Each structure stands twice: as C-alpha cells, then as structure tokens.
Amino acid sequence: MEPRRITSPLDETTARNLRSGERVLLDGVIYTARDAAHQRWCEALGTGDEPFFESEGAAVYFAGPTPAKPGAKVGSIGPTTSGRMDAYSPTVIRKAKIRAMIGKGNRSAAVVEAMKECGCVYLAAAGGLGALLAESVIESEIVAYADLGPEAVRRLVVRGFPAVVAIDCEGNNLYETGPMQFRTVK
Amino acid sequence: MREVGYFDIVERVAEICVKAACLLPEDVFAALEKSVGIEVSELGASLLRDCVRNSQVASEKECPICQDTGFAVFFVEMGEEVRVEGGSLAGAISEGTALGYSRGYLRKSIVDDPVFGRRNTGDNTPPVIHLELVPGDKIRIVVAPKGGGSENMSALAMLKPSDGKRGIVEFAVKTVVEAGGNPCPPLVVGIGVGGTFEKAAILAKKSLLRPLGQPSTSSGYALMEAEILGRINSSGVGPQGLGGSVTALAVHIEHFPCHIASLPVAVNLNCHAARHAETTI
C-alpha cells in the first residue's frame, strides 16, 4: 500500500485517523529535541516560562544530527531511542500540546495514556538511517538551546520524511502486534 | 627498536574514524542485501531495503551512515619491538579521534561526567582504548565506533556453572527480545563467555569485529551461535522491532577460561550499522 501523505503541524482529526502499522510520508515543520532539551523544556513548562517554539500541534523528533557539511542543510539525522524521553513525554503532550512524536522503540504505558487522552500519535522512523533521512530535510535552523550542541532544538522543514505509525491515538501498538504476528516459537 | 612518529598515528587514527562512520564494511552490506530476500514481513523487507540504500547514500555523499557516530572504541595491537616517537600512543589516539570527528563532520557525543554536569567534551574524546602487546614491530589499530542505542541494551550476567549452555542461550535470547526496536535491529550479537566480569564484556565487544557470520572455530560454540541466531530470528522482533523474521544478522561468541565458581556471560548488541575500520602502521 502507498504511504499516506500528511502535513505537520497535524490537526487532531488527522492524528486520530492515523492507524498503527500505516506508512506515512511527512511534509512540513518538525522540531528536534532529545534528552537534555526535554529536561530543560519540562523545567520551563513547570515554571510557566515562555515556550521556545509554537508547540501546540507540533511534531517533535527525538534526534540529534551530525554537523552539516559545508553546503548541506543538515548532517545525518536518524531517530534516537524514544524510551529515554518517556519520563518527559506525558508532561510535554499534556502541557505543550504536541500532536506527534517521531522516534524509535517502544513507549511506556504512561506515555500511551497521555497520547490517547490528548490525541497525540507516535511515529517510528527507521533507526540507523541518518544519511537517508537527511535527504528529506529541506531546511534546518537552531531555535533553542544552542549550547547543547548536537542536542540543540532545531526547526526542520521536511518533504516526504518516511515513517510508520507505531502507536496510534487509540493505543494500538505495532511494537507489540508486529512481533506477535511474526513470532514462530512460544 | 622501530620508531613510529606520533603525528603519523594521529593522522591514521583520524582517517579510520571517518572511514568507519561513513563506509559500511562490505560483509555487513552484503548481509543486509541478502536479508531483504529472507524477510517475510513486507514492512520489514522495505525497512531492510532502506538500510541498504542508506549505506549507499552515506558512501556516495561521504556522510555518516548514522547520526550517532558513537563512542570511539579502539582495539590496539602494539608490537613489542616498536615505540612511539614524539609522544604517547594514548595521546596520539585521542588526538586522532578529535581530528577525525572534527574533520569528518561527525557528531560529538561524549559528556565529561556521567552524573554531574554532563557537559559535552566537544571533540568526542576521550576514546576507550583496549591495548594488547603482541610480538613484532607493527601497530595495528582498529576503531569500532559504538552507538548509544545498542550499547544501552547490552547486558552482563554472572551465571552459575550449572546454568551451562542452556543458561547462556536463554540469557542471550532474552537480552535481544527485551531490547525490541531500541538497538536498531537487525543486530549483530556479540557474546563473551568466561574470563572475569570485565573480560567477558571485552570479549563480547571484540567478537563484533569478526567477519560477519563467520562461525566460532570451536564446534560447540559454533553450534550455540546457530541455535541463538535461530531462536532470535523466530522471536518475531524483526527489523526496527516492528515485526519480522530478520532480527539479527549474526551471532558471534568468543570464550575464555574461567574460575571454578564462575560462568560470566556478556551480550553486546550492535545495530545494523556494524561499523569498524582499521590501519596497520
């Protein structure tokens, strides 16, 4: 089946209509944030500080790229393990009202609960494919926490960024159903 | 005593750091290509095709295969009849790492303290160096950059001797299955059996450098490798943990004598970007 074309920021209806297992090609704006950026972001959300970007409806990509070579928009940029953001994601989903997360690997029950409640979807990008994924990034600029180096928050504009709906807004989870489908021993 | 210049080592180390990050070894590339035809999941096969394309793009553009260009881990075989002139071996490897990571536009992923501050050192130093003294007058340096995602899912167990082969197989399979999509399957699974606590871990890491899929020279361990690979690939975890029949490309076991009371087992997972490069001076 052809991947579904979606544009970020996503509206709630689009997010809630995505189904676990579906392939998508993402266009539009996404923001990178990983461990250290999430820690600061959650501290800022706790104190009511100004958000550093228009987070409502945003897609957050758990990634820290290699430095861009001269003439390139961005370096290699694949996903990092999402599980390390599990401690922060429920707060970010509820308070910053993000609509999508992009990463790799399974999520905790608490994250899935917040996703169902708020209509946030979790997309899996293929880990270890940083060179290929960089091809769909057409713009990149640092918008916050530049001092964090590879962990700075970047605003990316992407075209045809490939991903799979891993966990949908109803909590259907390809990290559980996929392996179960292909298991050949108990 | 043969002498090798400090800056010769710096330059060679910088070169292999960049090469390892951008150019997937041929045996790993061939195994990925072959796995596309084996994978039963349609999504899985498409993800494996993307792995192949990714390494082609990286090689054409001379850019890193993966953004996590890793901790720079070195295995060095130092001839007993050679010395470094103009500085220390460790210093040259560290300086070469910094040079390679800067020149190659590789990501700097090392923080100065694991708990307090966690400030990025800015040049991907310090490296981890495993040094072995060998006969001869050459220096062989292998770099195996190690990403955080797969390293984090690795595990070590001090089994009882009575746990035996069965205990090792169960522990290895459990480590891979519980890791799911986190370490970026399909994996290369390195297992160190025996020695002491730290020896098992180093053996596991070193086994990842073996030509991909080459069985252990000991028939008992070669059979264990095949059994573990079979069990892993019937687990359903699949490419990226999203379901399928190719969860690992290979299982390598290295073993060492151990204490009468012990059976240490270390399982070091490597993602599909099983990178390494070497130079001999």
Side-chain angles (χ1 to χ4, degrees):
Chain A
M1 205 167 68
E2 280 299 299
R4 193 200 295 215
R5 201 99 199 182
I6 54 173
T7 302
S8 177
L10 296 169
D11 59 56
E12 186 171 350
T13 311
T14 308
R16 286 198 185 273
N17 279 334
L18 292 170
R19 283 292 158 265
S20 173
E22 207 176 355
R23 285 199 283 168
V24 296
L25 289 174
L26 192 64
D27 300 318
V29 176
I30 63 180
Y31 292 89
T32 67
R34 48 173 293 158
D35 308 57
H38 269 78
Q39 190 184 352
R40 286 200 198 170
W41 190 4
C42 281
E43 280 164 13
L45 286 167
T47 57
D49 285 356
E50 285 284 305
F52 51 78
F53 66 86
E54 193 50 65
S55 64
E56 197 165 332
V60 173
Y61 183 21
F62 306 140
T66 56
K69 279 185 160 183
K73 296 287 179 197
V74 71
S76 294
I77 185 163
T80 195
T81 306
S82 307
R84 294 196 315 275
M85 266 50 78
D86 282 357
Y88 309 110
S89 290
T91 305
V92 168
I93 294 167
R94 291 195 175 96
K95 288 195 174 174
K97 299 187 170 55
I98 61 164
R99 188 65 65 205
M101 296 173 286
I102 308 164
K104 67 165 167 108
N106 208 354
R107 309 306 306 273
S108 70
V111 174
V112 177
E113 208 40 57
M115 288 168 56
K116 285 157 73 175
E117 181 187 311
C118 303
C120 178
V121 67
Y122 174 50
L123 308 175
L129 270 59
L132 194 63
L133 291 168
E135 304 244 287
S136 56
V137 177
I138 53 179
E139 279 178 40
S140 167
E141 63 167 327
I142 292 178
V143 292
Y145 311 153
D147 62 299
L148 293 178
E151 297 201 66
V153 174
R154 286 172 169 79
R155 177 184 185 273
L156 308 177
V157 180
V158 296
R159 190 181 292 148
F161 183 95
V164 182
V165 180
I167 308 178
D168 65 27
C169 298
E170 289 179 5
N172 300 304
N173 186 346
L174 189 60
Y175 285 107
E176 288 164 8
T177 57
M180 221 181 303
Q181 188 187 342
F182 293 98
R183 190 168 301 154
T184 52
V185 285
K186 276 175 94 179
Chain B
M1 184 75 102
R2 183 175 165 243
E3 288 191 345
V4 170
Y6 177 89
F7 287 104
D8 292 343
I9 300 173
V10 170
E11 190 55 44
R12 294 284 196 102
V13 166
E15 276 170 27
I16 59 171
C17 285
V18 178
K19 185 182 173 196
C22 303
L23 195 64
L24 198 64
E26 276 174 27
D27 55 343
V28 183
F29 183 80
L32 282 171
E33 262 192 324
K34 189 175 157 216
S35 72
V36 176
I38 298 168
E39 179 53 62
V40 295
S41 153
E42 194 190 323
L43 173 63
S46 128
L47 291 165
L48 292 170
R49 268 192 296 275
D50 286 348
C51 286
V52 173
R53 268 184 60 211
N54 181 67
S55 60
Q56 287 165 335
V57 169
S59 140
E60 281 158 22
K61 295 197 160 177
E62 290 178 356
C63 71
I65 298 159
C66 175
Q67 74 292 336
D68 186 352
T69 47
F71 212 124
V73 179
F74 291 88
F75 286 91
V76 181
E77 288 169 13
M78 180 85 182
E80 283 162 348
E81 295 161 50
V82 56
R83 61 177 290 272
V84 181
E85 187 270 317
S88 71
L89 177 68
I93 291 174
S94 184
E95 196 170 332
T97 300
L99 181 63
Y101 275 72
S102 151
R103 189 197 276 169
Y105 295 89
L106 311 185
R107 197 179 76 184
K108 289 78 181 171
S109 310
I110 308 304
V111 293
D112 63 348
D113 187 292
V115 178
F116 302 103
R118 290 187 69 92
R119 277 175 298 272
N120 197 303
T121 61
D123 59 6
N124 219 58
T125 64
V128 165
I129 304 171
H130 301 290
L131 180 66
E132 204 181 328
L133 286 173
V134 297
D137 64 357
K138 301 273 192 288
I139 307 173
R140 177 171 177 251
I141 304 174
V142 182
V143 66
K146 194 63 170 70
S150 58
E151 195 72 351
N152 283 347
M153 305 317 290
S154 302
L156 191 144
M158 301 304 283
L159 299 182
K160 296 184 198 67
S162 62
D163 292 327
K165 176 177 163 259
R166 189 188 156 80
I168 296 166
V169 172
E170 294 302 327
F171 178 66
V173 173
K174 178 170 165 273
T175 301
V176 171
V177 172
E178 285 181 357
N182 292 1
C184 295
L187 308 172
V188 181
V189 180
I191 304 175
V193 178
T196 48
F197 183 82
E198 85 285 5
K199 181 70 180 177
I202 293 168
L203 286 173
K205 177 138 286 161
K206 207 170 177 183
S207 78
L208 297 169
L209 301 173
R210 197 195 289 171
L212 198 82
Q214 179 184 298
S216 167
T217 50
S218 149
S219 62
Y221 288 98
L223 283 171
M224 266 173 72
E225 290 171 343
E227 183 184 350
I228 294 168
L229 182 63
R231 287 272 306 275
I232 287 171
N233 284 340
S234 55
S235 69
V237 170
Q240 301 291 340
L242 296 171
S245 53
V246 182
T247 305
L249 299 171
V251 174
H252 296 167
I253 304 178
E254 290 290 328
H255 61 100
F256 197 80
C258 72
H259 192 279
I260 49 174
S262 301
L263 179 52
V265 182
V267 179
N268 198 195
L269 304 183
N270 207 120
C271 59
H272 58 80
R275 299 160 287 183
H276 44 87
E278 65 172 89
T279 185
T280 300
I281 309 170

